Every structure is written in C-alpha cells, then in structure tokens.
Amino acid sequence: MSEWPIPKPIDPINAEFWHVCQDGVLRFQRCTACDRFRHLPRYMCASCGSTDYEWSAVEPRGSLYSWTVTHQVFHANFAVPFIAAVVEFSEGVRLMSQLVGAEAGQLELGLSVDVEFHVVSDEFQTPVFKLATR
Ligand SMILES: [Zn+2]
C-alpha cells in the first residue's frame, strides 16, 4: 500500500476518535448515562441526550455489512482497485474502512471481519479490516 493520507479533522470530537486509535485498540464512544455506543463521533447521545461519554474498547471483530470495489482514483495515495467496506460490530456501531488482503469474489454479507491497524507513519495508524481466519 502506498502511504495513506492522515486525516486532518476540523471538529475536535473527530480528532478524539483518531487520537484514541493510536494505541492500536479500536474504541467507540459509549454514553455513560445509557451505555449506548455511537459512531460517527458526536457530542450528544441520540438515545438519551446525555453529553457524557467515554471511549470504550470493542472486540476487534465485526461482520461485513456492505462493501464496494472502488476503481476510481479519488486520492492519489489510495491504490485502486480497493475494497471499501462497512463493518458492523456487536455493540451496534458500524465503521467504514478498507478491507485488505481479500478479493471481491470471496465476500458475502455477514462474513466475520477482524480489525487490524495499518501503520501510515510513526505517528499515525488507522483501522482496516481483514477477513477473519478463525
Ligand atoms: Zn445515552
């Protein structure tokens, strides 16, 4: 893979998400009032309205919710084709990233997918997906 661009979030809540990923553990916001997880990051719980939350680690395994094969170059640092996938976690949240090391012909909805971290630089890594092998 070529060197991927590093996100430059404008909103501090999005910057928090990328920051908490940098130890190689996938975390999502969890409302500390009602325990609901949420993603994309936001300031208020859509379920109960609380503004209290923490970043909670999740099991780095989800199921393939959707995917597409991208052939169009939209950023020079992303080599095409690649698989853009949406993975659903048991906590009820979904995350979109690249599914690496797989071919589209292997994919089926609901397949188990593991989260790994793609190291972009000494200071930045990003979650990606791989088909689960166990
Ligand atoms: Zn809540």
Side-chain angles (χ1 to χ4, degrees), residues 78-124:
F78 289 116
V80 293
F82 66 86
I83 298 170
V86 177
V87 169
E88 187 170 64
F89 294 86
S90 61
E91 291 81 2
V93 291
R94 297 177 191 144
L95 177 69
M96 184 173 156
S97 187
Q98 284 198 31
L99 175 61
V100 299
E103 300 292 328
Q106 299 175 268
L107 303 181
E108 295 175 23
L109 293 176
L111 280 179
S112 288
V113 172
D114 289 331
V115 175
E116 296 188 349
F117 280 81
H118 173 70
V119 176
V120 178
S121 74
D122 290 343
E123 287 121 29
F124 186 78

mmCIF file of all heavy atoms in Angstrom, residues 78-124:
data_model
loop_
_atom_site.group_PDB
_atom_site.id
_atom_site.type_symbol
_atom_site.label_atom_id
_atom_site.label_comp_id
_atom_site.label_asym_id
_atom_site.label_seq_id
_atom_site.Cartn_x
_atom_site.Cartn_y
_atom_site.Cartn_z
ATOM 1 N N PHE A 78 -4.276 6.364 -2.543
ATOM 2 C CA PHE A 78 -5.024 5.119 -2.398
ATOM 3 C C PHE A 78 -4.951 4.375 -3.727
ATOM 4 O O PHE A 78 -5.550 4.794 -4.716
ATOM 5 C CB PHE A 78 -6.492 5.376 -2.037
ATOM 6 C CG PHE A 78 -6.693 5.875 -0.633
ATOM 7 C CD1 PHE A 78 -7.200 7.135 -0.400
ATOM 8 C CD2 PHE A 78 -6.393 5.070 0.463
ATOM 9 C CE1 PHE A 78 -7.399 7.603 0.885
ATOM 10 C CE2 PHE A 78 -6.588 5.521 1.755
ATOM 11 C CZ PHE A 78 -7.089 6.788 1.970
ATOM 12 N N ALA A 79 -4.187 3.259 -3.735
ATOM 13 C CA ALA A 79 -4.058 2.472 -4.959
ATOM 14 C C ALA A 79 -5.384 1.784 -5.255
ATOM 15 O O ALA A 79 -6.010 1.219 -4.358
ATOM 16 C CB ALA A 79 -2.948 1.442 -4.773
ATOM 17 N N VAL A 80 -5.812 1.836 -6.502
ATOM 18 C CA VAL A 80 -7.040 1.168 -6.914
ATOM 19 C C VAL A 80 -6.694 -0.092 -7.691
ATOM 20 O O VAL A 80 -5.619 -0.169 -8.279
ATOM 21 C CB VAL A 80 -7.938 2.107 -7.768
ATOM 22 C CG1 VAL A 80 -8.459 3.238 -6.930
ATOM 23 C CG2 VAL A 80 -7.204 2.610 -8.994
ATOM 24 N N PRO A 81 -7.589 -1.074 -7.741
ATOM 25 C CA PRO A 81 -8.861 -1.077 -7.010
ATOM 26 C C PRO A 81 -8.651 -1.426 -5.542
ATOM 27 O O PRO A 81 -7.656 -2.049 -5.177
ATOM 28 C CB PRO A 81 -9.657 -2.178 -7.719
ATOM 29 C CG PRO A 81 -8.606 -3.141 -8.207
ATOM 30 C CD PRO A 81 -7.412 -2.297 -8.551
ATOM 31 N N PHE A 82 -9.591 -1.006 -4.706
ATOM 32 C CA PHE A 82 -9.598 -1.439 -3.310
ATOM 33 C C PHE A 82 -11.035 -1.669 -2.872
ATOM 34 O O PHE A 82 -11.975 -1.200 -3.537
ATOM 35 C CB PHE A 82 -8.881 -0.443 -2.388
ATOM 36 C CG PHE A 82 -9.534 0.907 -2.256
ATOM 37 C CD1 PHE A 82 -10.545 1.130 -1.330
ATOM 38 C CD2 PHE A 82 -9.119 1.969 -3.041
ATOM 39 C CE1 PHE A 82 -11.136 2.378 -1.200
ATOM 40 C CE2 PHE A 82 -9.697 3.223 -2.923
ATOM 41 C CZ PHE A 82 -10.707 3.420 -2.000
ATOM 42 N N ILE A 83 -11.167 -2.410 -1.797
ATOM 43 C CA ILE A 83 -12.499 -2.723 -1.282
ATOM 44 C C ILE A 83 -12.792 -1.774 -0.129
ATOM 45 O O ILE A 83 -12.072 -1.751 0.873
ATOM 46 C CB ILE A 83 -12.580 -4.187 -0.799
ATOM 47 C CG1 ILE A 83 -12.318 -5.135 -1.973
ATOM 48 C CG2 ILE A 83 -13.939 -4.470 -0.167
ATOM 49 C CD1 ILE A 83 -12.128 -6.595 -1.569
ATOM 50 N N ALA A 84 -13.821 -0.969 -0.288
ATOM 51 C CA ALA A 84 -14.317 -0.110 0.791
ATOM 52 C C ALA A 84 -15.455 -0.869 1.470
ATOM 53 O O ALA A 84 -16.412 -1.267 0.807
ATOM 54 C CB ALA A 84 -14.813 1.219 0.235
ATOM 55 N N ALA A 85 -15.308 -1.105 2.765
ATOM 56 C CA ALA A 85 -16.267 -1.961 3.472
ATOM 57 C C ALA A 85 -16.866 -1.243 4.670
ATOM 58 O O ALA A 85 -16.222 -0.407 5.301
ATOM 59 C CB ALA A 85 -15.573 -3.241 3.952
ATOM 60 N N VAL A 86 -18.099 -1.597 4.963
ATOM 61 C CA VAL A 86 -18.752 -1.175 6.195
ATOM 62 C C VAL A 86 -18.896 -2.431 7.055
ATOM 63 O O VAL A 86 -19.438 -3.442 6.590
ATOM 64 C CB VAL A 86 -20.132 -0.550 5.936
ATOM 65 C CG1 VAL A 86 -20.811 -0.189 7.263
ATOM 66 C CG2 VAL A 86 -20.001 0.672 5.045
ATOM 67 N N VAL A 87 -18.366 -2.352 8.266
ATOM 68 C CA VAL A 87 -18.407 -3.489 9.185
ATOM 69 C C VAL A 87 -19.247 -3.109 10.398
ATOM 70 O O VAL A 87 -19.124 -2.000 10.938
ATOM 71 C CB VAL A 87 -16.972 -3.900 9.595
ATOM 72 C CG1 VAL A 87 -16.985 -4.889 10.745
ATOM 73 C CG2 VAL A 87 -16.242 -4.479 8.386
ATOM 74 N N GLU A 88 -20.112 -4.030 10.784
ATOM 75 C CA GLU A 88 -20.978 -3.801 11.944
ATOM 76 C C GLU A 88 -20.427 -4.589 13.134
ATOM 77 O O GLU A 88 -20.091 -5.764 13.003
ATOM 78 C CB GLU A 88 -22.409 -4.242 11.644
ATOM 79 C CG GLU A 88 -23.385 -3.882 12.755
ATOM 80 C CD GLU A 88 -24.819 -4.103 12.321
ATOM 81 O OE1 GLU A 88 -25.200 -5.268 12.048
ATOM 82 O OE2 GLU A 88 -25.553 -3.107 12.230
ATOM 83 N N PHE A 89 -20.377 -3.934 14.274
ATOM 84 C CA PHE A 89 -19.865 -4.545 15.499
ATOM 85 C C PHE A 89 -21.030 -4.925 16.404
ATOM 86 O O PHE A 89 -22.124 -4.363 16.298
ATOM 87 C CB PHE A 89 -18.907 -3.573 16.201
ATOM 88 C CG PHE A 89 -17.667 -3.323 15.385
ATOM 89 C CD1 PHE A 89 -17.655 -2.345 14.401
ATOM 90 C CD2 PHE A 89 -16.546 -4.106 15.553
ATOM 91 C CE1 PHE A 89 -16.527 -2.145 13.609
ATOM 92 C CE2 PHE A 89 -15.412 -3.919 14.777
ATOM 93 C CZ PHE A 89 -15.413 -2.927 13.798
ATOM 94 N N SER A 90 -20.766 -5.858 17.312
ATOM 95 C CA SER A 90 -21.850 -6.355 18.172
ATOM 96 C C SER A 90 -22.397 -5.252 19.077
ATOM 97 O O SER A 90 -23.516 -5.359 19.574
ATOM 98 C CB SER A 90 -21.370 -7.550 19.010
ATOM 99 O OG SER A 90 -20.305 -7.171 19.844
ATOM 100 N N GLU A 91 -21.640 -4.170 19.249
ATOM 101 C CA GLU A 91 -22.108 -3.036 20.058
ATOM 102 C C GLU A 91 -23.125 -2.189 19.307
ATOM 103 O O GLU A 91 -23.654 -1.216 19.842
ATOM 104 C CB GLU A 91 -20.912 -2.169 20.478
ATOM 105 C CG GLU A 91 -19.988 -2.841 21.477
ATOM 106 C CD GLU A 91 -18.991 -3.812 20.829
ATOM 107 O OE1 GLU A 91 -18.984 -3.936 19.585
ATOM 108 O OE2 GLU A 91 -18.235 -4.454 21.575
ATOM 109 N N GLY A 92 -23.371 -2.531 18.032
ATOM 110 C CA GLY A 92 -24.389 -1.822 17.264
ATOM 111 C C GLY A 92 -23.860 -0.673 16.427
ATOM 112 O O GLY A 92 -24.643 0.032 15.793
ATOM 113 N N VAL A 93 -22.564 -0.478 16.404
ATOM 114 C CA VAL A 93 -21.987 0.606 15.606
ATOM 115 C C VAL A 93 -21.346 0.035 14.353
ATOM 116 O O VAL A 93 -20.982 -1.141 14.304
ATOM 117 C CB VAL A 93 -20.947 1.423 16.417
ATOM 118 C CG1 VAL A 93 -21.623 2.211 17.512
ATOM 119 C CG2 VAL A 93 -19.864 0.519 16.977
ATOM 120 N N ARG A 94 -21.228 0.885 13.358
ATOM 121 C CA ARG A 94 -20.615 0.488 12.091
ATOM 122 C C ARG A 94 -19.444 1.415 11.795
ATOM 123 O O ARG A 94 -19.493 2.607 12.114
ATOM 124 C CB ARG A 94 -21.630 0.585 10.955
ATOM 125 C CG ARG A 94 -22.791 -0.348 11.133
ATOM 126 C CD ARG A 94 -23.814 -0.154 10.024
ATOM 127 N NE ARG A 94 -25.035 -0.875 10.351
ATOM 128 C CZ ARG A 94 -26.248 -0.454 10.061
ATOM 129 N NH1 ARG A 94 -26.419 0.697 9.415
ATOM 130 N NH2 ARG A 94 -27.298 -1.161 10.412
ATOM 131 N N LEU A 95 -18.436 0.840 11.151
ATOM 132 C CA LEU A 95 -17.236 1.592 10.775
ATOM 133 C C LEU A 95 -16.920 1.278 9.323
ATOM 134 O O LEU A 95 -17.022 0.127 8.903
ATOM 135 C CB LEU A 95 -16.056 1.178 11.669
ATOM 136 C CG LEU A 95 -14.698 1.818 11.374
ATOM 137 C CD1 LEU A 95 -14.722 3.312 11.721
ATOM 138 C CD2 LEU A 95 -13.598 1.118 12.190
ATOM 139 N N MET A 96 -16.536 2.313 8.577
ATOM 140 C CA MET A 96 -16.137 2.122 7.185
ATOM 141 C C MET A 96 -14.632 2.270 7.070
ATOM 142 O O MET A 96 -14.046 3.181 7.655
ATOM 143 C CB MET A 96 -16.814 3.154 6.290
ATOM 144 C CG MET A 96 -16.516 2.965 4.834
ATOM 145 S SD MET A 96 -17.497 4.089 3.847
ATOM 146 C CE MET A 96 -16.491 4.167 2.399
ATOM 147 N N SER A 97 -14.017 1.351 6.347
ATOM 148 C CA SER A 97 -12.588 1.437 6.070
ATOM 149 C C SER A 97 -12.287 0.515 4.899
ATOM 150 O O SER A 97 -13.205 -0.048 4.290
ATOM 151 C CB SER A 97 -11.757 1.056 7.299
ATOM 152 O OG SER A 97 -10.378 1.306 7.060
ATOM 153 N N GLN A 98 -11.014 0.332 4.618
ATOM 154 C CA GLN A 98 -10.641 -0.606 3.561
ATOM 155 C C GLN A 98 -10.607 -2.024 4.111
ATOM 156 O O GLN A 98 -10.180 -2.249 5.251
ATOM 157 C CB GLN A 98 -9.267 -0.259 2.991
ATOM 158 C CG GLN A 98 -9.297 0.940 2.075
ATOM 159 C CD GLN A 98 -8.065 1.019 1.185
ATOM 160 O OE1 GLN A 98 -7.476 0.005 0.806
ATOM 161 N NE2 GLN A 98 -7.678 2.241 0.839
ATOM 162 N N LEU A 99 -11.049 -2.963 3.284
ATOM 163 C CA LEU A 99 -10.902 -4.390 3.558
ATOM 164 C C LEU A 99 -9.698 -4.835 2.743
ATOM 165 O O LEU A 99 -9.733 -4.787 1.511
ATOM 166 C CB LEU A 99 -12.171 -5.142 3.161
ATOM 167 C CG LEU A 99 -12.168 -6.651 3.272
ATOM 168 C CD1 LEU A 99 -11.935 -7.097 4.703
ATOM 169 C CD2 LEU A 99 -13.484 -7.218 2.767
ATOM 170 N N VAL A 100 -8.631 -5.233 3.425
ATOM 171 C CA VAL A 100 -7.374 -5.545 2.739
ATOM 172 C C VAL A 100 -7.160 -7.054 2.704
ATOM 173 O O VAL A 100 -7.698 -7.808 3.525
ATOM 174 C CB VAL A 100 -6.174 -4.833 3.421
ATOM 175 C CG1 VAL A 100 -6.349 -3.319 3.362
ATOM 176 C CG2 VAL A 100 -6.007 -5.291 4.864
ATOM 177 N N GLY A 101 -6.366 -7.482 1.729
ATOM 178 C CA GLY A 101 -5.989 -8.887 1.644
ATOM 179 C C GLY A 101 -7.104 -9.811 1.191
ATOM 180 O O GLY A 101 -7.057 -11.009 1.467
ATOM 181 N N ALA A 102 -8.108 -9.280 0.513
ATOM 182 C CA ALA A 102 -9.230 -10.107 0.064
ATOM 183 C C ALA A 102 -9.601 -9.710 -1.363
ATOM 184 O O ALA A 102 -9.255 -8.620 -1.831
ATOM 185 C CB ALA A 102 -10.430 -9.930 0.984
ATOM 186 N N GLU A 103 -10.309 -10.599 -2.031
ATOM 187 C CA GLU A 103 -10.844 -10.324 -3.362
ATOM 188 C C GLU A 103 -12.359 -10.231 -3.245
ATOM 189 O O GLU A 103 -12.968 -10.919 -2.413
ATOM 190 C CB GLU A 103 -10.489 -11.456 -4.324
ATOM 191 C CG GLU A 103 -9.005 -11.689 -4.499
ATOM 192 C CD GLU A 103 -8.304 -10.544 -5.230
ATOM 193 O OE1 GLU A 103 -8.951 -9.907 -6.087
ATOM 194 O OE2 GLU A 103 -7.126 -10.298 -4.926
ATOM 195 N N ALA A 104 -12.954 -9.407 -4.085
ATOM 196 C CA ALA A 104 -14.403 -9.207 -4.012
ATOM 197 C C ALA A 104 -15.172 -10.519 -4.148
ATOM 198 O O ALA A 104 -16.213 -10.705 -3.519
ATOM 199 C CB ALA A 104 -14.854 -8.208 -5.070
ATOM 200 N N GLY A 105 -14.634 -11.460 -4.942
ATOM 201 C CA GLY A 105 -15.315 -12.727 -5.150
ATOM 202 C C GLY A 105 -15.429 -13.577 -3.892
ATOM 203 O O GLY A 105 -16.232 -14.506 -3.836
ATOM 204 N N GLN A 106 -14.624 -13.283 -2.884
ATOM 205 C CA GLN A 106 -14.667 -14.022 -1.615
ATOM 206 C C GLN A 106 -15.754 -13.518 -0.678
ATOM 207 O O GLN A 106 -16.043 -14.162 0.326
ATOM 208 C CB GLN A 106 -13.340 -13.854 -0.854
ATOM 209 C CG GLN A 106 -12.104 -14.339 -1.524
ATOM 210 C CD GLN A 106 -10.879 -13.988 -0.685
ATOM 211 O OE1 GLN A 106 -10.274 -12.946 -0.876
ATOM 212 N NE2 GLN A 106 -10.544 -14.848 0.256
ATOM 213 N N LEU A 107 -16.314 -12.366 -0.972
ATOM 214 C CA LEU A 107 -17.108 -11.666 0.039
ATOM 215 C C LEU A 107 -18.570 -12.079 0.029
ATOM 216 O O LEU A 107 -19.154 -12.329 -1.027
ATOM 217 C CB LEU A 107 -16.985 -10.154 -0.172
ATOM 218 C CG LEU A 107 -15.551 -9.614 -0.148
ATOM 219 C CD1 LEU A 107 -15.553 -8.109 -0.331
ATOM 220 C CD2 LEU A 107 -14.817 -10.023 1.116
ATOM 221 N N GLU A 108 -19.125 -12.139 1.222
ATOM 222 C CA GLU A 108 -20.555 -12.377 1.430
ATOM 223 C C GLU A 108 -20.988 -11.519 2.605
ATOM 224 O O GLU A 108 -20.209 -11.324 3.557
ATOM 225 C CB GLU A 108 -20.830 -13.839 1.811
ATOM 226 C CG GLU A 108 -20.502 -14.848 0.751
ATOM 227 C CD GLU A 108 -20.705 -16.272 1.266
ATOM 228 O OE1 GLU A 108 -21.475 -16.469 2.232
ATOM 229 O OE2 GLU A 108 -20.072 -17.168 0.706
ATOM 230 N N LEU A 109 -22.202 -11.068 2.577
ATOM 231 C CA LEU A 109 -22.720 -10.314 3.722
ATOM 232 C C LEU A 109 -22.633 -11.175 4.973
ATOM 233 O O LEU A 109 -22.883 -12.378 4.925
ATOM 234 C CB LEU A 109 -24.177 -9.904 3.480
ATOM 235 C CG LEU A 109 -24.381 -8.886 2.356
ATOM 236 C CD1 LEU A 109 -25.874 -8.628 2.150
ATOM 237 C CD2 LEU A 109 -23.657 -7.582 2.652
ATOM 238 N N GLY A 110 -22.248 -10.566 6.068
ATOM 239 C CA GLY A 110 -22.210 -11.270 7.339
ATOM 240 C C GLY A 110 -20.918 -12.002 7.637
ATOM 241 O O GLY A 110 -20.775 -12.564 8.730
ATOM 242 N N LEU A 111 -19.967 -11.995 6.699
ATOM 243 C CA LEU A 111 -18.684 -12.653 6.979
ATOM 244 C C LEU A 111 -18.016 -12.003 8.179
ATOM 245 O O LEU A 111 -18.095 -10.793 8.376
ATOM 246 C CB LEU A 111 -17.745 -12.533 5.778
ATOM 247 C CG LEU A 111 -17.943 -13.483 4.615
ATOM 248 C CD1 LEU A 111 -16.910 -13.171 3.517
ATOM 249 C CD2 LEU A 111 -17.817 -14.937 5.054
ATOM 250 N N SER A 112 -17.307 -12.807 8.970
ATOM 251 C CA SER A 112 -16.552 -12.262 10.106
ATOM 252 C C SER A 112 -15.314 -11.537 9.598
ATOM 253 O O SER A 112 -14.602 -12.041 8.721
ATOM 254 C CB SER A 112 -16.118 -13.379 11.055
ATOM 255 O OG SER A 112 -17.229 -13.862 11.752
ATOM 256 N N VAL A 113 -15.114 -10.366 10.150
ATOM 257 C CA VAL A 113 -14.024 -9.490 9.743
ATOM 258 C C VAL A 113 -13.293 -9.028 10.993
ATOM 259 O O VAL A 113 -13.918 -8.687 12.001
ATOM 260 C CB VAL A 113 -14.603 -8.271 8.971
ATOM 261 C CG1 VAL A 113 -13.551 -7.241 8.707
ATOM 262 C CG2 VAL A 113 -15.258 -8.730 7.675
ATOM 263 N N ASP A 114 -11.957 -9.071 10.940
ATOM 264 C CA ASP A 114 -11.147 -8.585 12.055
ATOM 265 C C ASP A 114 -10.607 -7.196 11.763
ATOM 266 O O ASP A 114 -10.377 -6.843 10.604
ATOM 267 C CB ASP A 114 -9.964 -9.530 12.316
ATOM 268 C CG ASP A 114 -10.412 -10.841 12.921
ATOM 269 O OD1 ASP A 114 -11.444 -10.853 13.624
ATOM 270 O OD2 ASP A 114 -9.727 -11.858 12.695
ATOM 271 N N VAL A 115 -10.395 -6.449 12.821
ATOM 272 C CA VAL A 115 -9.804 -5.126 12.705
ATOM 273 C C VAL A 115 -8.301 -5.253 12.928
ATOM 274 O O VAL A 115 -7.855 -5.912 13.863
ATOM 275 C CB VAL A 115 -10.396 -4.162 13.761
ATOM 276 C CG1 VAL A 115 -9.681 -2.808 13.723
ATOM 277 C CG2 VAL A 115 -11.877 -3.997 13.533
ATOM 278 N N GLU A 116 -7.548 -4.666 12.026
ATOM 279 C CA GLU A 116 -6.108 -4.514 12.194
ATOM 280 C C GLU A 116 -5.800 -3.035 12.012
ATOM 281 O O GLU A 116 -6.653 -2.280 11.548
ATOM 282 C CB GLU A 116 -5.346 -5.328 11.151
ATOM 283 C CG GLU A 116 -5.556 -6.816 11.287
ATOM 284 C CD GLU A 116 -4.646 -7.605 10.364
ATOM 285 O OE1 GLU A 116 -3.996 -7.001 9.481
ATOM 286 O OE2 GLU A 116 -4.613 -8.833 10.541
ATOM 287 N N PHE A 117 -4.586 -2.672 12.363
ATOM 288 C CA PHE A 117 -4.208 -1.271 12.199
ATOM 289 C C PHE A 117 -3.125 -1.146 11.144
ATOM 290 O O PHE A 117 -2.109 -1.839 11.207
ATOM 291 C CB PHE A 117 -3.782 -0.662 13.536
ATOM 292 C CG PHE A 117 -4.972 -0.276 14.364
ATOM 293 C CD1 PHE A 117 -5.658 -1.230 15.106
ATOM 294 C CD2 PHE A 117 -5.445 1.016 14.349
ATOM 295 C CE1 PHE A 117 -6.790 -0.887 15.840
ATOM 296 C CE2 PHE A 117 -6.572 1.369 15.073
ATOM 297 C CZ PHE A 117 -7.241 0.428 15.816
ATOM 298 N N HIS A 118 -3.389 -0.305 10.168
ATOM 299 C CA HIS A 118 -2.443 -0.013 9.101
ATOM 300 C C HIS A 118 -1.600 1.177 9.554
ATOM 301 O O HIS A 118 -2.128 2.260 9.822
ATOM 302 C CB HIS A 118 -3.208 0.325 7.812
ATOM 303 C CG HIS A 118 -2.327 0.801 6.710
ATOM 304 N ND1 HIS A 118 -1.446 -0.014 6.055
ATOM 305 C CD2 HIS A 118 -2.181 2.023 6.152
ATOM 306 C CE1 HIS A 118 -0.801 0.674 5.140
ATOM 307 N NE2 HIS A 118 -1.237 1.916 5.175
ATOM 308 N N VAL A 119 -0.290 0.932 9.665
ATOM 309 C CA VAL A 119 0.612 1.993 10.112
ATOM 310 C C VAL A 119 0.941 2.881 8.916
ATOM 311 O O VAL A 119 1.531 2.434 7.937
ATOM 312 C CB VAL A 119 1.902 1.401 10.724
ATOM 313 C CG1 VAL A 119 2.876 2.516 11.090
ATOM 314 C CG2 VAL A 119 1.554 0.548 11.948
ATOM 315 N N VAL A 120 0.518 4.125 9.012
ATOM 316 C CA VAL A 120 0.732 5.084 7.935
ATOM 317 C C VAL A 120 2.063 5.808 8.129
ATOM 318 O O VAL A 120 2.791 6.060 7.186
ATOM 319 C CB VAL A 120 -0.429 6.094 7.873
ATOM 320 C CG1 VAL A 120 -0.202 7.143 6.793
ATOM 321 C CG2 VAL A 120 -1.744 5.350 7.633
ATOM 322 N N SER A 121 2.377 6.128 9.399
ATOM 323 C CA SER A 121 3.623 6.819 9.709
ATOM 324 C C SER A 121 3.981 6.489 11.160
ATOM 325 O O SER A 121 3.239 5.766 11.831
ATOM 326 C CB SER A 121 3.460 8.339 9.554
ATOM 327 O OG SER A 121 2.715 8.854 10.639
ATOM 328 N N ASP A 122 5.087 7.038 11.645
ATOM 329 C CA ASP A 122 5.469 6.818 13.041
ATOM 330 C C ASP A 122 4.420 7.363 14.001
ATOM 331 O O ASP A 122 4.327 6.932 15.134
ATOM 332 C CB ASP A 122 6.807 7.502 13.354
ATOM 333 C CG ASP A 122 7.961 6.803 12.663
ATOM 334 O OD1 ASP A 122 7.774 5.653 12.227
ATOM 335 O OD2 ASP A 122 9.030 7.413 12.553
ATOM 336 N N GLU A 123 3.622 8.315 13.524
ATOM 337 C CA GLU A 123 2.653 8.969 14.406
ATOM 338 C C GLU A 123 1.203 8.653 14.106
ATOM 339 O O GLU A 123 0.311 9.150 14.799
ATOM 340 C CB GLU A 123 2.851 10.490 14.345
ATOM 341 C CG GLU A 123 4.077 10.977 15.046
ATOM 342 C CD GLU A 123 4.997 11.729 14.080
ATOM 343 O OE1 GLU A 123 4.486 12.317 13.127
ATOM 344 O OE2 GLU A 123 6.212 11.701 14.292
ATOM 345 N N PHE A 124 0.961 7.848 13.089
ATOM 346 C CA PHE A 124 -0.443 7.634 12.741
ATOM 347 C C PHE A 124 -0.684 6.230 12.219
ATOM 348 O O PHE A 124 0.040 5.716 11.376
ATOM 349 C CB PHE A 124 -0.909 8.644 11.685
ATOM 350 C CG PHE A 124 -2.377 8.545 11.415
ATOM 351 C CD1 PHE A 124 -3.297 9.096 12.288
ATOM 352 C CD2 PHE A 124 -2.853 7.853 10.307
ATOM 353 C CE1 PHE A 124 -4.660 8.975 12.062
ATOM 354 C CE2 PHE A 124 -4.216 7.728 10.074
ATOM 355 C CZ PHE A 124 -5.113 8.295 10.960
#
